[in-house]
Each structure stands twice: as structure tokens, then as C-alpha cells.
């Protein structure tokens, strides 16, 4: 079945940048893709999402700093994270669905830690 594998997480200082990648085992040409994040003691939230035709959606907390993109030829979705803040620290999960909010598969997650 379809598998999603995240990579690119790590430790970065506040103000720095990271780019997360999510590689899918099958074509993502007709799927919406998203990045969720969950910090300790907090609810999971949708940080960014992109539809099959490239329409994007962002949480207010990351607008202007994060950019989600997709490369259908590589079956990969990316999350470029700039101007990182300590409150961005979380496990980031890649997800896929028929439409944004109709997610049906998840990756294992990648840890992002932002130091002050």
C-alpha cells in the first residue's frame, strides 16, 4: 500500500531554515498533500496543505514563513520552513488525501527542534 517517508528534520537555531521532504511510494498527481505538526502537550494542527492542482493553505501561525510545494514527477512534497521560531518545535507528519482534509495515509514523522 501507499507509504509516505519524511526526511529533513533536525535541530536549528531560531531564525534558521529547514526543508522537509515527503516521498510517496506511488503517484501523487491526483492527491492533496499536507504537513501536520504536533508539539508536546498541544493538539495536532495542519501547518500547510496543497491540492492536486497546486492550491495552498497555511495555518496562520506559519503564513509568510513556510512554503509547501510538490513535484509530481518525483512523487514528493516539500515544506520549506524559514524564520523558524522555538514554537515551531514539533514532530512534522506528511499526509495524503483525495482532497485537503480528507487524509487517508500518514508518514512516520520527522522531528524539528528550534533552539532559542
Amino acid at each position: 500500500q501507499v507509504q509516505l517517508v519524511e526526511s529533513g528534520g533536525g535541530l536549528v537555531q531560531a531564525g534558521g531554515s529547514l526543508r522537509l521532504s515527503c516521498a510517496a511510494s506511488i503517484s501523487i498527481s491526483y492527491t492533496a498533500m499536507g504537513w501536520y505538526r504536533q508539539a508536546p502537550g498541544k493538539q495536532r494542527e495542519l501547518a500547510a496543505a496543497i491540492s492536486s492542482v497546486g492550491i495552498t493553505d497555511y495555518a496562520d501561525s506559519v503564513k509568510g514563513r513556510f512554503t509547501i510545494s510538490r513535484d509530481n514527477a518525483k512523487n514528493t512534497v516539500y515544506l520549506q520552513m524559514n524564520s523558524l521560531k522555538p514554537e515551531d518545535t514539533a514532530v512534522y507528519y506528511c499526509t495524503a488525501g483525495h482532497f485537503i482534509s480528507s487524509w487517508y495515509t500518514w508518514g512516520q514523522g520527522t522531528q524539528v527542534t528550534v533552539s532559542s
Side-chain angles (χ1 to χ4, degrees):
Q1 62 181 15
V2 62
Q3 293 182 329
L4 302 174
V5 180
E6 303 98 332
S7 62
L11 175 64
V12 65
Q13 292 186 195
S17 298
L18 285 173
R19 189 179 75 158
L20 306 183
S21 298
C22 172
S25 62
I26 62 172
S27 174
I28 62 168
S29 295
Y30 306 110
T31 68
M33 304 293 294
W35 287 96
Y36 276 83
R37 66 182 186 178
Q38 187 164 28
K42 297 184 179 180
Q43 293 186 358
R44 184 184 65 183
E45 68 170 348
L46 181 65
I50 185 167
S51 75
S52 62
V53 294
I55 299 172
T56 58
D57 189 27
Y58 298 95
D60 288 342
S61 57
V62 309
K63 285 182 178 177
R65 300 187 298 119
F66 290 12
T67 302
I68 188 170
S69 61
R70 62 193 298 148
D71 186 339
N72 290 343
K74 296 182 178 180
N75 296 326
T76 300
V77 64
Y78 305 95
L79 185 67
Q80 179 66 47
M81 305 184 294
N82 298 326
S83 302
L84 283 162
K85 304 174 181 179
E87 51 262 45
D88 294 319
T89 295
V91 178
Y92 285 72
Y93 299 92
C94 179
T95 188
H98 297 294
F99 304 97
I100 292 175
S101 81
S102 65
W103 313 115
Y104 59 77
T105 192
W106 298 79
Q108 294 297 307
T110 185
Q111 176 72 48
V112 171
T113 303
V114 184
S115 63
S116 60

